[in-house]
Amino acid sequence: PLIDSKYRTIPDRLHTFIAGSSAGGMASFWIAYLHADIFSKVGCMSQSLQNHEMDGERMYDIMKRDGTKDLTYYIDLGTGEGFRDMVDNAIFYLQRAGFRLGKDLFYHPAHGMEHNERSWNKRFDKILLLFLRDI
């Protein structure tokens, strides 16, 4: 509501998304999931899944218990980051929960990118182009 009151926005959930990197990517993942009445899309760049309570299997258990939400997920990971198994695990469980690659789940392997602001800046446009393409 604060953003919608201060800026010219389209204030409905279909035009509202959240995105973050690293721990912010994981936070964005869960904020969108828990507030799917506000957000329709979530961008997770280099999401940190190191906390065992937030790994892919735990994520799947929560979605199985509470239901999947009408969300579109963008997930990426730099090839120089080393978290590949955790992100693969998340993709696997999202698909198991019913999300479909290329439809409501998008994965981008960011070739040569590392876990830092410079790398995230170079690929944030992918989120914008995906989420804002129909506006």
Side-chain angles (χ1 to χ4, degrees):
L2 176 67
I3 298 296
D4 291 332
S5 71
K6 291 187 122 188
Y7 301 99
R8 213 175 80 181
T9 65
I10 303 172
D12 62 25
R13 78 171 289 280
L14 291 178
H15 295 94
T16 304
F17 71 89
I18 187 171
S21 55
S22 193
M26 196 72 242
S28 296
F29 184 102
W30 286 113
I31 289 168
Y33 181 79
L34 295 172
H35 299 282
D37 57 319
I38 297 170
F39 301 99
S40 64
K41 303 166 189 75
V42 57
C44 305
M45 300 175 72
S46 305
Q47 69 180 8
S48 174
L49 292 166
Q50 295 172 336
N51 182 332
H52 291 293
E53 293 189 16
M54 291 197 231
D55 69 10
E57 190 169 1
R58 174 83 172 123
M59 175 182 66
Y60 172 71
D61 289 341
I62 291 168
M63 289 182 171
K64 189 169 69 172
R65 182 189 71 215
D66 298 342
T68 57
K69 310 293 182 178
D70 180 21
L71 291 166
T72 297
Y73 283 99
Y74 166 94
I75 297 173
D76 76 11
L77 182 70
T79 57
E81 295 190 59
F83 302 118
R84 181 63 196 223
D85 56 334
M86 288 183 278
V87 171
D88 284 347
N89 193 29
I91 299 285
F92 170 80
Y93 282 109
L94 281 167
Q95 287 181 290
R96 190 169 172 196
F99 290 90
R100 297 147 304 179
L101 277 174
K103 180 81 173 164
D104 51 9
L105 174 61
F106 296 86
Y107 172 68
H108 172 69
H111 297 286
M113 299 291 165
E114 298 179 2
H115 197 85
N116 58 44
E117 293 291 338
R118 177 176 283 148
S119 292
W120 300 321
N121 183 51
K122 288 181 180 178
R123 60 190 199 253
F124 188 69
D125 65 319
K126 300 217 180 311
I127 294 173
L128 296 176
L129 290 170
L130 176 66
F131 291 169
L132 301 176
R133 68 180 173 205
D134 295 329
I135 293 181

